[in-house]
Amino acid sequence: NNAVDIFQEPHGHVNLCSAKAGGFAGGLFAIWIPDRQDFGDIIEAMEQSGYDLPLPPEIPQPFALSAAHDQLSIIEQLESAAHLKICTSTEDIRSCFADGTLAAVLHMEGAEAIDPDFEVLYEFHEKGLRSLGPVWSRPTRYGAGVPFRFPSSPDIGAALTDDGKRLVTTCNELKIMLDVSHISEAGFWDIASLTSAPLVATHSNCHALCHHSRNLTNAQLHAIAESNGMVGLNFATALLRPDGRMVADTAVETMLQHLDHMIDILGEDGVGLGSDFDGAVVPEIICNASGLPVLQEAMITHGYTTALMRKICHENWLRVLGQTWK
């Protein structure tokens, strides 16, 4: 009940109030395992124009699984209260759009909770899991996470482990979308060579414009385009700004520069919004989900057509999810 109450109040980036005000109709709702890092210290370090933060240690699977179950329980409470619906098909999502219910795609950011026999993966798939990123910014038994480092190439860390390669093929079998955001470049190329689904970076930006370790090189963007995949624009200011600083004083035009670059390589069908709401410092002019119209108005002023905006705001996500989930 506490989670339900909180979601009805103006807390964080996404809640019922901000979603309604900003026309936020749905998105990926992430299960993410916290650790003992002080995120205040991390943000403070990233406010500088150069930083290199070490990866935290791997989290034990039993602890991660307990936290994942707790977070799954929260989203199930919100679904029981009719505040959202866990969607496992594009038909579900379109139905939510029609009746005004928030469409929630259950995502797992970092596979720490998943055991090597994949029993947990099958369990969460039964509960609605349809999107998964093998790593966050720490190692897992499946691959190497990318540290918060600026300036830096994304070519940091090892490739997928043998378990990670099995995870890719099993996700393909279960029609779970694989997220290449936050993985090492070596891990990215492993997924690209193994997966039978479109490559998707749910929340990433362009390394050519911001030399952050988490951003995608042009070669990676071209590979995503060749797979008929897509990239969701990350609103995290450290991944947008040329100086790599995680500060809210960031212009909306900086977001448009990344969208333009992505469209140049991926085409109009390969770009969407990824936000990273409730996971990063976003431009103060956006602030939270209620500020999405500010970005839309900026896109109109910038010359984006209504048809292109519909693709960026939701149609491209429905295309890629539909191709992946089949």
Side-chain angles (χ1 to χ4, degrees), residues 5-319:
D5 292 342
I6 290 173
F7 200 61
Q8 295 180 89
E9 299 296 329
H11 296 286
H13 288 152
V14 178
N15 52 65
L16 289 182
C17 302
S18 64
K20 183 176 182 180
F24 177 82
L28 279 75
F29 283 63
I31 292 172
W32 172 81
I33 311 304
D35 55 28
R36 295 175 181 173
Q37 292 185 98
D38 187 329
F39 277 92
D41 290 345
I42 291 174
I43 296 300
E44 183 177 354
M46 293 179 68
E47 289 174 349
Q48 311 307 312
S49 58
Y51 43 85
D52 184 1
L53 304 180
L55 284 175
E58 185 173 339
I59 290 180
Q61 190 265 338
F63 173 85
L65 179 57
S66 176
H69 277 141
D70 289 344
Q71 294 190 23
L72 176 63
S73 175
I74 290 172
I75 197 168
E76 288 178 336
Q77 289 175 45
L78 296 176
E79 184 174 49
S80 295
H83 290 331
L84 54 77
K85 176 179 173 58
I86 298 174
C87 296
T88 58
S89 69
T90 55
E91 290 77 13
D92 285 346
I93 296 173
R94 292 185 188 280
S95 176
C96 286
F97 287 177
D99 65 22
T101 302
L102 274 179
V105 175
L106 188 59
H107 173 76
M108 188 174 282
E109 186 167 9
E112 292 94 340
I114 297 173
D115 62 294
D117 294 327
F118 298 155
E119 292 180 4
V120 172
L121 182 65
Y122 282 95
E123 172 199 345
F124 275 75
H125 180 264
E126 285 291 318
K127 297 287 188 178
L129 182 71
R130 291 297 184 273
S131 178
L132 179 144
V135 296
W136 179 68
S137 284
R138 57 180 165 243
T140 71
R141 71 180 306 121
Y142 304 106
V146 176
F148 297 103
R149 185 182 295 177
F150 182 92
S152 173
S153 160
D155 190 10
I156 305 171
L160 292 182
T161 64
D162 288 342
D163 284 336
K165 293 174 182 177
R166 291 194 304 114
L167 180 64
V168 170
T169 56
T170 305
C171 284
N172 282 170
E173 292 167 3
L174 292 173
K175 310 301 183 187
I176 294 173
M177 185 176 76
L178 284 158
D179 180 14
V180 299
S181 292
H182 301 341
I183 201 163
S184 67
E185 187 172 357
F188 172 94
W189 293 115
D190 275 345
I191 292 176
S193 68
L194 290 167
T195 186
S196 59
L199 291 170
V200 177
T202 61
H203 55 307
S204 294
N205 292 333
C206 308
H207 193 268
L209 302 181
C210 170
H211 301 320
H212 197 288
S213 56
R214 285 187 165 201
N215 281 342
L216 298 168
T217 66
N218 285 350
Q220 290 173 298
L221 293 175
H222 279 292
I224 293 170
E226 289 168 9
S227 78
N228 207 23
M230 68 172 287
V231 178
L233 177 76
N234 194 327
F235 294 7
T237 58
L239 276 67
L240 288 167
R241 297 171 56 98
D243 62 7
R245 298 176 63 208
M246 188 74 95
V247 291
D249 183 17
T250 300
V252 70
E253 287 75 18
T254 307
M255 305 172 79
L256 295 174
Q257 289 168 4
H258 282 266
L259 285 174
D260 284 346
H261 190 82
M262 290 179 193
I263 291 168
D264 284 344
I265 295 177
L266 293 148
E268 294 189 357
D269 295 335
V271 181
L273 303 180
S275 85
D276 207 10
F277 278 148
D278 289 313
V281 175
V282 306
E284 60 188 356
I285 196 169
I286 303 296
C287 186
N288 55 42
S290 69
L292 287 171
V294 173
L295 178 57
Q296 291 174 307
E297 290 166 10
M299 287 193 284
I300 293 171
T301 302
H302 193 60
Y304 286 10
T305 65
T306 300
L308 175 56
M309 288 181 58
R310 286 179 61 85
K311 289 182 177 184
I312 291 173
C313 290
H314 65 270
E315 287 180 356
N316 289 341
W317 278 115
L318 288 170
R319 177 189 67 78

